[in-house]
Every structure is written in C-alpha cells, then in structure tokens.
C-alpha cells in the first residue's frame, strides 16, 4: 500500500521563533518532500506581525491564536488544533506531535476516534520524557493511560530512549532517530578570502583564530561560564577571538537582561563578538577553528554535528548525557564536566594545532557516517510508512 503523503506536525514553537527543533524541522522537510511527503504545521501565533496562514518553503504553516502576555494557553491551542484536524480529517493519516503538550489527552482521544496514527516526539530530557510528563501533572494514573493511546514514540537521544524504556513503554513503540546535518551545506573550506571577510566585517584581526559558540544567548546555554573562562584564555593566547552566533534580543516584552549583562562583560574582555541571529550559520562555522558549546541542557544539540561536519574540533558539556551521542571524548573533541575543565580543554587545543586538526577530521567523518540528513529522513519515512500500514491492517 502506498503511504499517506500528508503529515500533520503539531509544534507550538516554529518560525519565526528561534528554536532549535523548529529550525531543524525546516531543514528536515525538504528531504522528506523529495520522497513525496507534504507537511502542515499547526503552531502558535506569537506576534501580531506574523500571518495566521502561509506557505513557508513548501510547508503550510497554520498559526493558532492562543498566546496571551507571551504565554501559550495550551488548552486553547489544543482545542483549536483539534478543530483544524477534524475539519481536514480526510486529508491525512498521521499526526506527529513534537514535544509533549497533550496535557488534556485531546490528541490521543481524537486519534482513536478518527482512526489516525499518533506519533509523539520527545526532544528534551527532564521536560518531555515520560517521567517528566507524568510527574508534572495531577491525576497521574489517568495520564499514564493517555500515554497508551500514543502509537509511536520518537526519541532523539540515548538518554530519552533509556527514560522511555525505564518507564515501561514497549520497545516496539520506541524509535530513536538522531538529528541530522546536510553535508552539502555544512562542510569545511580553506577559503582565506571567506575567513578574512568575516573577520573584517566584525572587526576581528585577520590573523586571529576563532572559537565559535552557536545558540541563543540565554543562561541555559552556558554563556556565562564561557565568558568567565575566556578572560584567562585570551590572556594566554593573544591571537584568538570568541564569536557568539545566535539571538540576544527577543523583542517586545521579552527583554533579555541576561544577554545585556553578557554583552557588558564582553566589552570588558575585548576579543568577544556577538553576531546575533543569522540564516547562514555555516558561513561562520567554516571560518572558525574551534567549536565551544557549554550548554547545561539540550535535546540533541544539532549545532554540534553541524560544527563537526565543518571539520571543527568540539568542546561540549555532558548535557544530561546527550553530549555523548555526538562527541566522542578525546577522539572528536572533549566532553567537560565543569568550568575548570572547560578552560583547560580550550587552552589545550589552542596550544596543539595537530590535535585540533586530528579531532576535526575524525569529527567530520563521524558526522558523515552517523548524522547525514538524507539517512535520517529515511528513518522518518520508515516510521510514517509503518504508521499508515498499521492503521490499514
């Protein structure tokens, strides 16, 4: 039987919000579109400036009006999404929820009543793993029964898979699919002109090596700790600059006081440059020499494998065990446990160019072997095909 080609993605945070998983879905969609799939995203209308409905790179985006004072009303969101699903019920077979927010069991009940396959994708340990989902709410026994209505659980990391198994979910319902990287976009370059242009544009000396961080400038990402060690790093190495790529001004009422504090610290340090959000992060990775990501918690950390694909040695934190899914400690980079180790490892690599090159080459090979986006898309297709076949049997 030919698989149903139309998939509904339920994702409260999507473009233009700067969210790792939302950005990743936009990168994944074209690979699945080539296989004949089309997608509708039911998300939230976070601003009056965005359209309620638009086609975004072949993805139909429906933004539901359920945000008040910057917060999502999940009951309103769920009810509006269910209304849309009912109105379009003849046009799809699979509902794919990204993250856990079926707090009221509405999607589970709908999927059973109208014979739709329900997939739940878990993206962040401690937030949407089973124990966290159940433990955050009252009537836990009822919510455990609601979990049984979900047909497939997709996990994006080993810690999430372990959490699902420890919770008692059937192995046949759990599918681990890592995130992926497009190696045709993220690859190393030896273009001196490209490197010099980036440095000149941001006032970085052209003979400086660049350590790069990519992510939102928020407390959870470990920016404070990175700037704390950078003071000593730049005193030991007079030819390095730190570049931070990612949003620090979230507009409206979402004033980022943390980012403002970090920028003040950066001014005192000197060789620290805040780039802001960009659409071509690969451009900055290719011009860099070392990737540093001391985040406290991540769902997967897609920027890590993007840096690896660009042949950068990576220094990351454990991130509840997620870091071990990407970086092989002392082979493609380092996994550090505290601020002192972070400083030591940065200093160690900056003083050993041969090791930086060795780690970078091995990291790129690992990215190509395990995280190619085309191969990841095949895994999603397998889940979607199996979902439709199961419903038709």
């Amino acid at each position: 039987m030919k698989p149903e080609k139309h998939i509904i993605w339920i994702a409260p945070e999507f473009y233009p919000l700067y969210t790792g998983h939302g950005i990743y879905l936009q990168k994944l969609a074209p690979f699945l579109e080539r296989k004949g799939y089309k997608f509708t995203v039911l998300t939230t209308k976070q601003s009056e400036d965005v359209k309620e409905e638009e086609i975004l790179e072949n993805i139909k985006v429906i933004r539901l009006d359920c945000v008040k004072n910057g917060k999502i009303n999940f009951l309103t969101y769920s009810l509006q999404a269910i209304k849309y699903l009912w109105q379009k019920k003849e046009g799809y077979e699979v509902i794919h929820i990204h993250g856990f927010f079926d707090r009221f069991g509405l999607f589970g009940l709908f999927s059973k009543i109208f014979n739709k396959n329900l997939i739940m994708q878990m993206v962040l340990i401690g937030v949407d793993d089973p124990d966290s989902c159940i433990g955050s709410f009252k009537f836990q026994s009822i919510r455990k029964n609601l979990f049984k209505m979900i047909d497939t659980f997709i996990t994006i990391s080993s810690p999430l898979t372990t959490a699902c198994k420890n919770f008692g979910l059937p192995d046949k319902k759990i599918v681990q699919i890592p995130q992926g990287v497009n190696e045709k976009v993220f690859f190393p370059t030896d273009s001196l002109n490209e490197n010099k242009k980036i440095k000149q544009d941001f006032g970085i000396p052209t003979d400086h090596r660049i350590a790069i961080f990519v992510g939102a400038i928020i407390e959870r990402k470990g920016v404070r700790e990175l700037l704390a060690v950078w003071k000593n790093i730049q005193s030991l190495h007079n030819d390095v600059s730190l570049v931070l790529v990612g949003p620090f001004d979230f507009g409206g009422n979402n004033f980022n006081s943390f980012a403002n504090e970090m920028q003040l610290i950066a001014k005192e340090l000197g060789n620290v440059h805040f780039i802001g959000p960009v659409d071509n992060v690969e451009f900055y990775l290719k011009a860099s020499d070392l990737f540093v990501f001391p985040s406290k918690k991540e769902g997967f950390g897609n920027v890590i494998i993007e840096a690896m694909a660009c042949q950068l040695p990576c220094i990351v934190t454990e991130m509840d065990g997620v870091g071990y899914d990407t970086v092989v400690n002392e082979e493609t980079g380092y996994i550090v446990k505290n601020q002192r180790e972070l400083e030591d490892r940065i200093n160690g690599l900056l003083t050993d160019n041969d090791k930086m090159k060795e780690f970078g080459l091995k990291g790129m090979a690992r990215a190509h072997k395990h995280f190619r986006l085309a191969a990841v898309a095949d895994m999603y297709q397998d889940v979607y095909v199996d979902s439709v076949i199961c419903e038709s049997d």
Side-chain angles (χ1 to χ4, degrees):
M1 175 182 173
K2 285 184 67 177
E4 170 60 47
K5 295 297 186 179
H6 188 190
I7 309 295
I8 303 291
W9 278 346
I10 309 292
E13 295 182 335
F14 198 70
Y15 181 88
L17 289 180
Y18 191 94
T19 63
H21 194 68
I23 293 170
Y24 177 68
L25 291 180
Q26 288 179 261
K27 295 177 180 179
L28 173 65
F31 286 84
L32 285 166
E33 287 167 6
R34 294 168 197 163
K35 300 176 183 294
Y37 289 89
K38 63 178 181 179
F39 298 92
T40 296
V41 178
L42 300 184
T43 188
T44 57
K45 193 173 189 294
Q46 297 276 347
S47 169
E48 293 299 324
D49 299 332
V50 296
K51 298 177 181 178
E52 292 185 357
E53 182 174 332
E54 68 176 320
I55 303 297
L56 182 66
E57 297 176 349
N58 294 325
I59 302 172
K60 186 175 184 178
V61 182
I62 307 294
R63 298 188 178 93
L64 305 175
D65 190 7
C66 55
V67 179
K68 188 174 182 179
N69 297 325
K71 293 184 178 181
I72 300 171
N73 184 314
F74 280 98
L75 178 57
T76 302
Y77 173 65
S78 299
L79 289 171
Q80 291 185 16
I82 291 295
K83 180 181 178 182
Y84 181 89
L85 292 171
W86 179 78
Q87 292 173 336
K88 306 293 183 180
K89 60 183 179 296
E90 303 302 326
Y92 63 92
E93 291 295 334
V94 178
I95 303 169
H96 184 166
I97 298 177
H98 295 271
F100 179 78
F101 37 82
D102 193 9
R103 304 180 181 187
F104 313 97
L106 296 178
F107 293 104
L109 291 169
F110 179 90
S111 67
K112 296 310 170 190
I113 293 171
F114 292 99
N115 199 34
K116 305 297 182 182
N117 194 275
L118 184 63
I119 299 171
M120 174 181 164
Q121 183 152 354
M122 299 177 179
V123 298
L124 186 61
I125 194 77
V127 175
D128 58 12
D129 59 277
D131 281 325
S132 299
C133 293
I134 299 301
S136 299
F137 304 103
K138 299 178 181 178
F139 311 112
Q140 294 185 12
S141 60
I142 296 176
R143 295 193 178 279
K144 287 183 179 180
N145 289 327
L146 293 176
F147 251 57
K148 295 178 181 179
M149 293 189 289
I150 298 171
D151 299 288
T152 304
F153 296 88
I154 295 179
T155 64
I156 65 172
S157 70
S158 297
L160 281 169
T161 300
T162 300
C164 287
K165 291 182 177 182
N166 290 343
F167 184 78
L169 296 178
D171 285 356
K172 65 181 181 180
K173 282 193 171 188
I174 306 169
V175 181
Q176 182 173 330
I177 303 179
Q179 294 195 317
V181 60
N182 186 349
E183 74 274 17
K184 293 182 179 179
V185 174
F186 294 90
F187 56 86
T189 178
D190 294 324
S191 172
L192 293 178
N193 289 335
E194 190 174 41
N195 292 4
K196 286 182 179 180
K197 183 179 187 309
I198 289 179
K199 292 171 183 177
Q200 289 171 347
D201 286 348
F202 294 98
I204 301 172
T206 55
D207 61 344
H208 270 210
R209 293 175 292 169
I210 293 178
I212 188 170
F213 163 97
V214 179
I217 310 303
I218 55 178
E219 186 84 50
R220 175 172 65 84
K221 298 288 186 178
V223 179
R224 186 186 300 278
E225 291 77 8
L226 179 55
L227 292 182
V229 305
W230 196 254
K231 181 177 181 180
N232 291 333
I233 293 297
Q234 67 179 19
S235 69
L236 296 170
H237 304 272
N238 58 9
D239 65 338
V240 295
S241 289
L242 176 63
V243 169
L244 299 99
V245 178
F248 48 80
D249 180 4
F250 300 103
N253 296 323
N254 299 316
F255 176 70
N256 191 346
S257 59
F258 173 78
N260 187 54
E261 179 187 353
M262 294 303 100
Q263 288 179 307
L264 292 175
I265 294 173
K267 287 182 179 180
E268 295 179 3
L269 292 174
N271 290 327
V272 180
H273 306 266
F274 285 84
I275 306 300
V278 298
D279 293 326
N280 57 340
V281 66
E282 68 278 4
F283 185 64
Y284 298 87
L285 288 171
K286 291 174 185 179
S288 299
D289 302 276
L290 172 65
F291 179 76
V292 186
F293 194 60
S295 180
K296 299 176 177 66
K297 184 183 289 291
E298 293 293 323
F300 185 82
N302 212 63
V303 292
I304 301 171
I305 57 175
E306 291 172 348
M308 289 165 58
C310 291
Q311 201 177 314
L312 296 184
C314 299
I315 299 176
V316 306
T317 43
E318 293 180 296
M319 297 176 287
D320 292 329
V322 171
Y324 293 97
D325 277 3
T326 51
V327 173
V328 179
N329 194 35
E330 299 189 15
E331 183 175 319
T332 67
Y334 292 116
I335 299 174
V336 300
K337 297 181 179 180
N338 53 53
Q339 189 170 308
R340 179 58 184 271
E341 283 190 15
L342 176 65
E343 181 177 328
D344 288 345
R345 292 309 194 185
I346 294 174
N347 178 48
L349 281 183
L350 288 175
T351 56
D352 192 339
N353 287 329
D354 289 339
K355 179 149 287 189
M356 287 181 70
K357 184 176 181 180
E358 176 190 346
F359 282 1
L361 287 169
K362 288 181 177 179
M364 182 174 64
R366 177 169 169 77
H368 288 175
K369 182 177 181 179
H370 296 285
F371 304 112
R372 288 188 309 108
L373 201 48
V376 170
D378 288 341
M379 298 180 194
Y380 278 99
Q381 183 183 31
D382 289 342
V383 172
Y384 292 151
V385 170
D386 288 345
S387 296
V388 175
I389 290 176
C390 287
E391 285 300 320
S392 63
D393 289 345

